[in-house]
Amino acid sequence: MSVRFGGGRDRVRLRGRVTPPSDKSISHRAAIVGAMCEAPVAIAGYLDAADTRSTLQAMRRLGASVQGRDGELVIRGVGAAGPRCDEVLDVGNAGTLMRLLPGWLASVAGRSFALDGDASIRRRPVDRIALPLRAMGARVDARGGRFPPFTVLGAQLAGLDYELPVASAQVKSCVLLAGLATDVTTVREAVASRDHTERMLLAAGAPVGRRRLRDGGWVSSVGRAGELALDRIVVPADLSSAAFLITAAVLLPGAEVTLTGVGVNWTRSGFLEILRRMGARVGGELEPPGTFAAAEPICDLEVAHGALTGTEVGADEVPLAIDELPLVALLGCFAEGETVVRGAAELRVKESDRIATVVDGLRGLGADIEALPDGFAVRAAGGLRGGRLDAHGDHRLALLGAVAGLASQDGVEVIGMEAAAVSYPGFADDLRALSH
Ligand code: S3P
């Protein structure tokens, strides 16, 4: 499906308030942790999108029941030792499900599980979780040792002290979920990555610790958990989805937009810090860096159009803004000077190779942008001309194309806009609600 954005004679003016869709990362975790509990868990604001539907379906396949009640979901889980499934679990397009779920399943001694997904998932590495799970005692196998389908035979796991070779909250979360069945398991990371798993497990009564190391890194630890229990999880709005509307508001003259109830966990809100550094007008109280608590902080973000200057983003900031880096490239096209992102080679193993697809996509719209092995460099081009952008089946690329279109001179036709349904099915509705 191709959809055109922008390019009309009159530019839209974005005004008003919307609540962006619920957080995808936290929704995946809520379903998995909910299924690990025995007592029912209510989830308010579970994201209704393709990726998170895959997770609910997988939890049902493992024996959990999922029902809607008063606009919330209620999961009746199977307990940490209870999952079983003889069929292949289909993760669809969801990398988070593919990487997190095996952590739990690896601890279910004597049972085997198989996971597979769509064409994009089959190109994304899982050796990064196979390695630590094997070291803990599980038997795991992947196609060519690297890619899905992925099989795991659960075992009595041994604790692990693991140093992450790549900055990845998914790998960290996988090891921590497995670690709930060990005396102690620790995961060290050179740079902080999102800590939603740690926060949710803490809220569920698991022994979880997280502290900053002297060299600036972080360590998370878990130990043997008794029965996990959580009455209710409230999922905030997703900053990564909000980021598309935020970018549109920053780039479109006359815009004044409020995005309500957005999750601003400091391990996720690096994009807002980058924006502020570029000179954007973004109001709202963010969580102080370094905080660790069970709760997920939320705030209303007030965003207005304004001029931008280029900036540099380095490895320390990358995990805090990993999914928003394509938008930094787009903002760079409208900023004065140069905008450079480095230390972000992980972008190459996302839903698409996001260094290649973003650079090719924006260049086709008139950007002066160059790919680096681990990022990109954008020079001021005074905006974008417009044209066609192929989403390559990547939801964030489709949404990037839409926002680029609104801000461009001639508009952008996004090829494959349906990919947006993976995380933000209501994007066009939210845009319409704000357009005047
Ligand atoms: C996610 C972590 C990030 C992010 C992904 C969601 C998560 O991946 O890109 O969209 O929910 O833990 P990595 O941790 O592998 O970088």
Side-chain angles (χ1 to χ4, degrees), residues 162-321:
Y162 195 59
E163 183 146 355
L164 285 183
V166 285
S168 167
Q170 295 181 349
V171 178
K172 175 180 64 170
S173 299
C174 176
V175 176
L176 294 176
L177 289 174
L180 293 172
T182 70
D183 290 337
V184 188
T185 289
T186 50
V187 182
R188 294 163 198 279
E189 45 188 359
V191 185
S193 68
R194 66 187 69 187
D195 65 2
H196 303 308
T197 303
E198 291 94 318
R199 290 185 191 223
M200 198 176 289
L201 290 176
L202 189 65
V208 183
R210 180 150 167 88
R211 65 190 167 83
R212 191 198 291 265
L213 300 169
R214 252 190 240 123
D215 64 3
W218 284 80
V219 58
S220 295
S221 59
V222 293
R224 202 171 296 283
E227 200 183 308
L228 297 176
L230 263 168
D231 276 354
R232 191 157 176 268
I233 301 172
V234 180
V235 184
D238 195 321
L239 179 60
S240 299
S241 296
F244 295 99
L245 297 175
I246 293 172
T247 302
V250 168
L251 294 181
L252 293 179
E256 267 182 46
V257 166
T258 302
L259 301 164
T260 58
V262 180
V264 286
N265 178 324
W266 72 276
T267 62
R268 273 296 284 290
S269 57
F271 177 62
L272 300 176
E273 302 288 354
I274 295 167
L275 268 176
R276 285 179 175 173
R277 204 161 68 228
M278 294 179 85
R281 291 153 65 198
V282 183
E285 203 180 318
L286 309 185
E287 188 180 48
T291 306
F292 179 61
E296 291 286 351
I298 60 165
C299 89
D300 293 350
L301 295 169
E302 287 157 12
V303 192
H305 170 70
L308 300 172
T309 51
T311 190
E312 288 204 12
V313 176
D316 283 7
E317 231 174 352
V318 161
L320 311 181

